[in-house]
Amino acid sequence: MTPQQRGVRSRRLTVVAAALVASAALACGPGFAAGAGVTRVADPPAPTPAVPAPPATGQTPVPQAPVPLTPALETPAPQNPVPQNPVPQPPAPVPPAVTPAPVPPAVTPAPGTSAGPGPTPAPPQRPAFGAYLDYGPLGVARMAQLSTWLGGAELRVGHTYLPGDRWSNIEGRPGFLDVWAHWRREKADRMLVLNVPMMERNEDGVSDAEVRRLLRRGADGEFDQHFKALAERLVELDVPDTVLVLGWEMNGITYTHRCGPDPEAWKTYWNRIVTAMRSVPGQQFKFDFAPSRGRDAVPWPQCYPGDDTVDIVGMDSYDQPSGLTFDQQVKEPYGLQEHVEFAEKHGKALSYPEWGLFRNGDNATYMRGMLAWMDAHKPLYNTLTDYCPHGVWQCRQNPQASEVYRAVLSGRPAVPTLLPSTPAPSASAQPATPQPVTPQPAGQPVPQPSPSAAPVRCSPLDLGDWVEYWLGGKLCVRLDWYSRRH
């Protein structure tokens, strides 16, 4: 068969296959796009493509998922010749109805006072916030939809992860970060937060002995070129001020980039990475040291690499372990209080790159406490992990915590929080006591992002990440369409 004959036959098969998919979607009636604002067929894909090892108790999981070949956001050109016959298109997704956010009641003037115009009080300073919604283009698309659900509150922080399966992905392979960089460049006050693994095979269950050898190789400079390549990629994409959460949750046992097997080698390796990335002309990176809350496998202060190479002291703080109250999470060894005091002592900004529900289920008390804590201590940024079991918008199993989150953050403006330029008070200074936050209105049920639950017997069509980005989610076809028609 000649190449010309094969091309004609391939185009005919493409037309026939597309027609069958579109016919099935149209015939079934209730096909729908399960993007943000609609209940998804499955939990959001995880940040990295490696197959994760089972997480140990007490360690925050960052699940893995295949990484799409994400194109830049510019208008894409088709890669294959356009067929002569028109191809039926899948039905356009119907935007979900969005329930308006709660509106505070009008304030009635006290007797004897004038209701005339007066000076407008300045809005309270609030931490810049966002949410991890997906590692790829859908994560960018869903930020606008989450903002709408929150009554127009501005999500000024975009958060994603580099895959930790191989060095070529840790370098930021072409196409993966383009959409995120485009989002960041649209507004000057936006912040891009990028989790960066320090080792390849980052969730492969590597033994302590091998981790120790790898850390020493890194400390000797063997892996410097990978991080310099990443820095060059980010500068090339015109996002040189990206916040880099390097080697997150190093005090646990899940990741190959953990600190425990050799803390001294780990710190030397961190310093080499930062030095290599800062050597790239044009960079303005901020490096975030972010352990998980509590002792975990090793006390996280033992892993701190020094003030010269750390700009932000972060903490991943999920609602775990089971039975631990929020007050106990504040006061436990290496908990939230110690985190604040440590950052103040070292003159560093705070952050909470990952936080959310976990072992204690739909815990509105934790949600209320965490939001109040961040309002009191003004971190540079915080990003909720919004997939099950942690989330409140894409995850329908936490309605009470969802109500609190939405009521507290609805309509909230984003006010920039500046990095400290002078040393903070000594550790003896007492941090501010968080004020209780009462969600308004109380007792009102808060609709979830989806107006209706996803059909149980539903088959998602895999159209690829690029197509799903523009559709707003997967196209899902019900399998019971035949019985519904008879």
Side-chain angles (χ1 to χ4, degrees):
M1 183 181 295
T2 66
Q4 292 82 2
Q5 290 172 321
R6 286 195 299 270
V8 171
R9 183 178 182 183
S10 174
R11 289 193 294 271
R12 289 174 179 170
L13 289 174
T14 302
V15 172
V16 172
L20 288 175
V21 170
S23 298
L26 292 172
C28 69
F32 66 100
V38 179
T39 300
R40 296 167 59 80
V41 176
D43 289 348
T48 55
V51 177
T57 302
Q59 180 69 18
T60 304
V62 178
Q64 308 290 319
V67 175
L69 294 176
T70 307
L73 197 60
E74 289 77 19
T75 304
Q79 299 299 315
N80 296 315
V82 178
Q84 298 301 318
N85 297 322
V87 179
Q89 299 298 316
V94 179
V98 178
T99 304
V103 178
V107 178
T108 303
T113 61
S114 172
T120 303
Q125 289 198 356
R126 305 290 192 182
F129 74 99
Y132 170 71
L133 301 168
D134 187 276
Y135 69 94
L138 287 177
V140 176
R142 289 179 184 138
M143 279 191 281
Q145 295 169 314
L146 177 56
S147 175
T148 300
W149 183 71
L150 290 172
E154 183 179 0
L155 276 68
R156 199 163 59 85
V157 186
H159 187 188
T160 190
Y161 295 72
L162 285 174
D165 55 342
R166 56 179 64 91
W167 284 119
S168 59
N169 284 328
I170 296 174
E171 292 175 0
R173 63 176 174 77
F176 181 75
L177 292 171
D178 293 32
V179 174
W180 290 98
H182 178 88
W183 173 85
R184 165 63 186 90
R185 294 193 304 264
E186 284 183 325
K187 287 190 177 182
D189 65 345
R190 284 178 173 173
M191 183 186 305
L192 176 59
V193 175
L194 179 64
N195 278 48
V196 179
M198 292 171 64
M199 292 288 182
E200 66 176 350
R201 299 186 296 131
N202 199 37
E203 294 194 30
D204 281 9
V206 176
S207 69
D208 282 353
E210 186 173 357
V211 167
R212 191 175 299 110
R213 287 192 293 271
L214 289 169
L215 290 175
R216 292 172 181 175
R217 288 168 60 188
D220 289 339
E222 186 172 334
F223 308 132
D224 288 4
Q225 73 275 12
H226 302 299
F227 298 96
K228 188 173 181 180
L230 172 61
E232 291 169 348
R233 176 81 64 194
L234 292 169
V235 171
E236 179 185 354
L237 290 170
D238 198 19
V239 285
D241 57 352
T242 300
V243 174
L244 303 173
V245 187
L246 180 64
W248 70 99
E249 298 181 9
M250 75 300 294
N251 55 323
I253 62 173
T254 296
Y255 300 117
T256 305
H257 66 215
R258 61 189 180 269
C259 165
D262 193 335
E264 293 306 314
W266 192 92
K267 290 186 282 189
T268 302
Y269 181 33
W270 166 289
N271 291 331
R272 287 204 67 105
I273 293 172
V274 174
T275 300
M277 297 189 74
R278 285 179 175 171
S279 72
V280 173
Q283 66 80 32
Q284 304 168 37
F285 304 124
K286 298 292 184 289
F287 291 90
D288 192 338
F289 171 82
S292 56
R293 194 200 71 243
R295 178 186 173 92
D296 215 321
V298 60
W300 53 261
Q302 292 184 13
C303 306
Y304 186 69
D307 291 344
D308 291 343
T309 55
V310 173
D311 300 293
I312 306 163
V313 176
M315 178 164 281
D316 290 355
S317 185
Y318 291 89
D319 186 20
Q320 63 173 347
S322 297
L324 196 70
T325 67
F326 180 76
D327 286 345
Q328 290 171 327
Q329 294 173 26
V330 171
K331 299 173 183 177
E332 69 173 329
Y334 313 108
L336 291 170
Q337 184 65 49
E338 190 161 340
H339 169 232
V340 168
E341 293 172 355
F342 186 92
E344 288 179 344
K345 178 181 178 181
H346 291 267
K348 304 299 179 183
L350 296 167
S351 76
Y352 298 95
E354 295 183 27
W355 67 281
L357 305 160
F358 199 11
R359 304 290 185 188
N360 296 302
D362 183 15
N363 189 350
T365 301
Y366 162 84
M367 182 60 63
R368 190 176 295 108
M370 195 68 188
L371 290 169
W373 181 265
M374 291 186 290
D375 270 355
H377 294 286
K378 303 295 187 295
L380 181 67
Y381 73 92
N382 78 81
T383 45
L384 174 79
T385 300
D386 193 54
Y387 59 82
C388 285
H390 312 301
V392 296
W393 182 58
Q394 295 185 115
C395 182
R396 294 178 62 87
Q397 69 188 40
N398 301 312
Q400 296 182 51
S402 174
E403 181 176 354
V404 172
Y405 184 85
R406 191 186 190 201
V408 171
L409 295 182
S410 284
R412 174 171 290 194
V415 179
T417 303
L418 301 178
L419 284 168
S421 56
T422 57
S426 65
S428 60
Q430 293 299 319
T433 302
Q435 299 300 317
V437 177
T438 303
Q440 297 291 336
Q444 295 294 326
V446 177
Q448 295 300 305
S450 171
S452 60
V456 177
R457 296 180 57 78
C458 176
S459 176
L461 301 179
D462 187 3
L463 303 177
D465 288 275
W466 183 81
V467 175
E468 291 166 6
Y469 168 62
W470 293 108
L471 285 177
K474 286 185 177 295
L475 188 67
C476 186
V477 178
R478 292 186 65 144
L479 302 180
D480 60 351
W481 65 272
Y482 181 84
S483 62
R484 290 165 59 90
R485 292 168 58 92
H486 293 81

